[in-house]
Amino acid sequence: MKVLVAVKRVVDYNVKVRAKADGSDVDLNNVKMSINPFCEIAVEEAVRLKEAGTATEVIAVSIGDKACQEQIRTALALGADRGIQVETEGSVEPLVVAKLLKGVVEKEQPQLVILGKQSIDGDNNQTGQMLGALTNMPQGTFASEIAVDGDKLSVTREVDGGLQTLSLNMPAIVTSDLRLNEPRYASLPNIMKAKKKPLDVYSPADLGVEVTTHLTQVSVEPPAERQAGIKVESVDELVDKLKNEAKVI
Amino acid sequence: MTNTAHDVFDLTLTDDQRMNRDTVRRFTEQDIRPLAMPADVASQTPEGFYQRSMELGLTLMPIPEALGGAGVARAPVSNVLNAEDLAHGDLSLALGSISPLAFVNTLLDQGTEAQRERLLPQFCGENFVAASTALLEPAATFEPTEPKCSAVRDGDEYVIDGTKSLVPLGIDAQLLLVIAKLETDEPAAFIVEGEPAGLTRTQELNMGLRTLQTATLSFDAVRVPASNMLGERPFDLERFIDLSRLGICALAVGTCQAVLDYVTEYCNERVAFGEPITNRQSVAFMIADIAIELEAMRLMTWRAASRAEQGLPFHKEAYLAKVFCGEHAMKIGTDGVQLLGGHGFCREHPMEMWYRNLRAISLLEGLASV
């Protein structure tokens, strides 16, 4: 069974991001970039399937400029067998990403595609679902557990009321939630070995996709700074201030 | 002009170095830092720790692929970064983790082909191999370049006599690199395997580095085959000491960084007289001094390591770094305790442990050859 995993290069989750002075975007100059944590979970799950003998090959795909090869290499160091980069410039919206991934899916014919449920930069939570619609493949989103049984895939999802279990026919699409697994870290020798694993680069044209833009980012602003609070002497004073100053009760 | 363009000191880390750092830091956060204090209190290595540290792959990195390793050229800068990041979690466990690497690196650097082929493959297996280097001796007048421990040739063997102290993993190590002097007064290194007759191992009780469980090793006419003398040419003791000084400096930098991170957060949160104590200049200046001294320690260490990696002479740079790091590591340890006040003295906080461990930096030689 072939597994395709999508990985995205995003600002590291430890970084406190700032808006650019002109408000056009988040300032990414000299900022540490990493693999999106949900994508890392997706890679880990694919590698576990391979270690269990269920998967035969794990392919990591990323969409972006040359820099995203670093995240593909991270996925290769974690245990993916080969990488694919679809080279694009600037930011691409979820629909375009889904179309490009569809192109890769058609080329590689994986039985299972695992994506992160969302990326921590845009928080769109759309790509997996769009890919499902475009490829007409069944989808199990927000997976906290998956199990392969023949050509069926059981996906446990975290929903508001508890856990929901779906049975999907493969080929299928899964998006990973936080609790799907706890990713390992790549050992130092594996990081070096990852350099020798094959990495193919495609252009959108190779996949027959035209990169178009339907969304425009109007402005990026930091959240309003919280005003300092005050200390009150008594409950009466608190109630009074909540009633008359803050006007919340 | 001997200092040409390639002596320019570039601090930009390569992609490999950055990726390695991510991995080592993650290991440190998950597998070292939380264990450091309980292990220190118990004066014991946490169960299974070295096995987990081995899975990081530090030791097999420089071993040639033909022998089962990763075949990455020995890289003092990467090794210094690794030591620094590991020591951010704990100095003792960091030193223990890289002790086998010191053995492996020295064997690669100065051993014979036959010695490498015979001894290195075991480091590429599934299990942790406790290996270490023994240079220090307990004499008050000990000078690392002139060991008193002696090795006298007798037929096809050498007979080793003397005492080595502060040997990391010394109780367990089944592979030791023992530095001794020959009858000609030249230094030499001997591979001592297993539990030979005449070797006595004694657990040391020290002020710091308690988790490391260092040992004093007594050699009473211990016989090793002549083929266990490291290398064919005379042993380059100075190079061995210089490379281990870099490792020790890096360990100091990592621990001092832990101190700086800790005091900064603590002093910003600790409120006295209605405001955080960092609003007091006497506190703020002290923290700033730690940051300045630490950065100087780091730069001196990185520069010496960078020269070593480029194959340039680095003896002077390593020496200066060692003296500077030894002095300032102690001072930063003391200042850390001072900044935490009573909390720096008690075991609720890791500061007193860092203070005790940092005292060791200026004493250590020959343990962490990068």
Side-chain angles (χ1 to χ4, degrees):
Chain A
M1 183 176 89
K2 213 190 236 187
V3 182
L4 182 73
V5 190
V7 295
K8 185 175 182 187
R9 176 182 172 86
V10 297
V11 175
D12 188 83
Y13 69 94
N14 281 314
V15 172
K16 245 190 193 165
V17 291
R18 291 193 178 135
K20 280 184 180 170
D22 64 1
S24 61
D25 206 346
V26 172
D27 191 355
L28 294 181
N29 265 333
N30 298 318
V31 166
K32 181 172 156 47
M33 305 293 282
S34 295
I35 187 169
N36 176 42
F38 291 110
C39 299
E40 198 175 11
I41 292 169
V43 174
E44 174 69 30
E45 196 63 22
V47 172
R48 286 186 190 186
L49 286 173
K50 194 181 168 203
E51 286 169 348
T54 315
T56 49
E57 191 184 26
V58 177
I59 307 160
V61 56
S62 189
I63 290 161
D65 59 15
K66 196 151 193 285
C68 78
Q69 287 189 4
E70 192 182 323
Q71 279 59 48
I72 298 177
R73 196 173 149 200
T74 304
L76 296 175
L78 289 170
D81 298 294
R82 62 188 169 93
I84 295 174
Q85 180 208 353
V86 182
E87 192 146 23
T88 57
E89 280 174 31
S91 68
V92 274
E93 59 193 56
L95 182 59
V96 175
V97 173
K99 283 180 179 170
L100 292 168
L101 287 177
K102 175 178 175 249
V104 176
V105 167
E106 282 167 357
K107 234 183 172 76
E108 295 290 345
Q109 299 289 325
Q111 286 295 99
L112 178 61
V113 184
I114 314 181
L115 307 92
K117 70 169 180 177
Q118 66 194 68
S119 60
I120 60 166
D121 50 0
D123 280 332
N124 287 312
N125 188 352
Q126 294 173 344
T127 305
Q129 292 87 329
M130 285 175 168
L131 180 63
L134 290 171
T135 54
N136 220 9
M137 277 154 68
Q139 52 176 297
T141 52
F142 315 120
S144 60
E145 199 184 334
I146 65 170
V148 177
D149 181 15
D151 55 2
K152 297 257 189 215
L153 179 74
S154 143
V155 179
T156 307
R157 309 177 64 229
E158 297 191 356
V159 293
D160 283 349
L163 296 174
Q164 179 191 46
T165 305
L166 301 177
S167 177
L168 309 180
N169 292 320
M170 292 204 283
I173 289 165
V174 168
T175 72
S176 61
D177 212 329
L178 194 63
R179 275 167 287 274
L180 183 56
N181 59 51
E182 229 172 88
R184 71 195 72 189
Y185 39 77
S187 75
L188 303 183
N190 284 346
I191 292 174
M192 302 314 282
K193 280 181 203 156
K195 269 205 244 184
K196 294 181 186 157
K197 292 184 177 177
L199 179 97
D200 294 318
V201 182
Y202 297 134
S203 69
D206 293 339
L207 302 170
V209 176
E210 203 182 327
V211 177
T212 48
T213 310
H214 308 90
L215 298 172
T216 315
Q217 187 165 292
V218 182
S219 72
V220 173
E221 286 167 35
E225 273 198 39
R226 194 166 162 260
Q227 300 293 315
I230 51 161
K231 278 190 180 168
V232 291
E233 296 293 329
S234 64
V235 175
D236 289 342
E237 193 187 343
L238 175 67
V239 172
D240 175 61
K241 285 200 186 297
L242 286 174
K243 214 173 209 164
N244 300 319
E245 274 182 37
K247 296 191 168 45
V248 288
I249 52 173
Chain B
M1 287 288 286
T2 48
N3 287 355
T4 49
H6 88 177
D7 188 24
V8 168
F9 181 31
D10 184 358
L11 290 171
T12 317
L13 300 187
T14 64
D15 285 353
D16 289 346
Q17 287 163 347
R18 275 190 300 116
M19 288 182 79
N20 284 0
R21 279 208 113 163
D22 282 348
T23 280
V24 175
R25 285 180 167 173
R26 211 153 137 178
F27 174 76
T28 300
E29 284 301 308
Q30 284 178 17
D31 287 308
I32 300 189
R33 190 65 176 262
L35 310 176
M37 280 186 64
D40 181 78
V41 171
S43 289
Q44 271 191 349
T45 310
E47 178 87 23
F49 170 75
Y50 287 122
Q51 185 63 30
R52 284 199 301 285
S53 82
M54 197 209 73
E55 284 157 18
L56 198 56
L58 280 176
T59 313
L60 69 86
M61 284 292 272
I63 297 176
E65 282 181 87
L67 303 179
V72 181
R74 180 181 185 177
V77 173
S78 299
N79 289 334
V80 154
L81 296 174
N82 292 340
E84 184 180 324
D85 290 337
L86 292 169
H88 191 266
D90 184 51
L91 184 52
S92 300
L93 294 175
L95 188 45
S97 308
I98 62 174
S99 287
L101 184 64
F103 179 93
V104 165
N105 272 338
T106 311
L107 206 66
L108 284 166
D109 203 24
Q110 303 204 39
T112 64
E113 199 58 48
Q115 287 165 343
R116 289 181 209 157
E117 281 175 14
R118 186 169 73 81
L119 296 170
L120 293 182
Q122 61 190 298
F123 289 93
C124 308
E126 306 233 313
N127 294 314
F128 177 75
V129 178
S132 194
T133 51
L135 170 69
L136 292 168
E137 297 176 5
T141 55
F142 176 68
E143 155 61 40
T145 55
E146 292 169 9
K148 296 281 183 292
C149 183
S150 66
V152 177
R153 179 95 187 211
D154 181 22
D156 282 342
E157 292 179 318
Y158 278 92
V159 182
I160 303 175
D161 276 288
T163 308
K164 293 290 176 187
S165 55
L166 273 170
V167 180
L169 311 178
I171 294 293
D172 299 323
Q174 295 299 297
L175 277 173
L176 288 161
L177 196 66
V178 180
I179 317 297
K181 70 164 183 196
L182 302 172
E183 284 166 285
T184 55
D185 267 356
E186 282 171 308
F190 292 89
I191 300 156
V192 175
E193 297 170 71
E195 224 46 75
L199 171 61
T200 315
R201 303 169 188 249
T202 314
Q203 171 99 49
E204 293 171 352
L205 295 172
N206 297 322
M207 169 187 179
L209 301 180
R210 292 185 181 170
T211 314
L212 185 59
Q213 294 179 288
T214 59
T216 298
L217 306 180
S218 304
F219 295 82
D220 181 10
V222 171
R223 289 177 170 269
V224 296
S227 60
N228 274 24
M229 185 165 87
L230 191 73
E232 281 159 350
R233 288 165 294 143
F235 183 63
D236 190 344
L237 181 56
E238 184 180 280
R239 179 172 163 80
F240 170 74
I241 291 174
D242 289 344
L243 285 163
S244 74
R245 280 180 176 161
L246 295 183
I248 293 159
C249 289
L251 293 168
V253 170
T255 307
C256 288
Q257 183 68 54
V259 171
L260 177 63
D261 295 346
Y262 203 86
V263 296
T264 310
E265 197 178 325
Y266 178 91
C267 295
N268 275 326
E269 281 175 8
R270 171 88 176 158
V271 172
F273 313 110
E275 56 185 358
I277 58 172
T278 38
N279 287 4
R280 306 274 152 172
Q281 280 195 334
S282 60
V283 170
F285 286 165
M286 214 170 187
I287 297 175
D289 282 342
I290 292 178
I292 294 165
E293 288 157 11
L294 171 59
E295 197 61 11
M297 287 165 64
R298 177 177 285 125
L299 292 179
M300 290 178 87
T301 306
W302 284 18
R303 169 158 159 81
S306 158
R307 288 183 66 86
E309 187 153 319
Q310 294 173 64
L312 297 167
F314 65 101
H315 173 65
K316 184 185 84 180
E317 286 79 3
Y319 176 74
L320 298 182
K322 176 74 191 337
V323 172
F324 190 83
C325 288
E327 281 176 11
H328 288 274
M330 279 197 277
K331 178 167 179 292
I332 290 173
T334 310
D335 288 352
V337 171
Q338 188 67 26
L339 282 162
L340 262 67
H343 283 160
F345 188 70
C346 70
R347 283 199 158 178
E348 263 173 62
H349 296 266
M351 196 58 75
E352 61 83 32
M353 175 183 74
W354 291 333
Y355 166 83
R356 287 184 284 109
N357 288 344
L358 286 169
R359 290 294 300 196
I361 294 298
S362 59
L363 306 172
L364 299 177
E365 293 278 15
L367 305 181
S369 193
V370 297

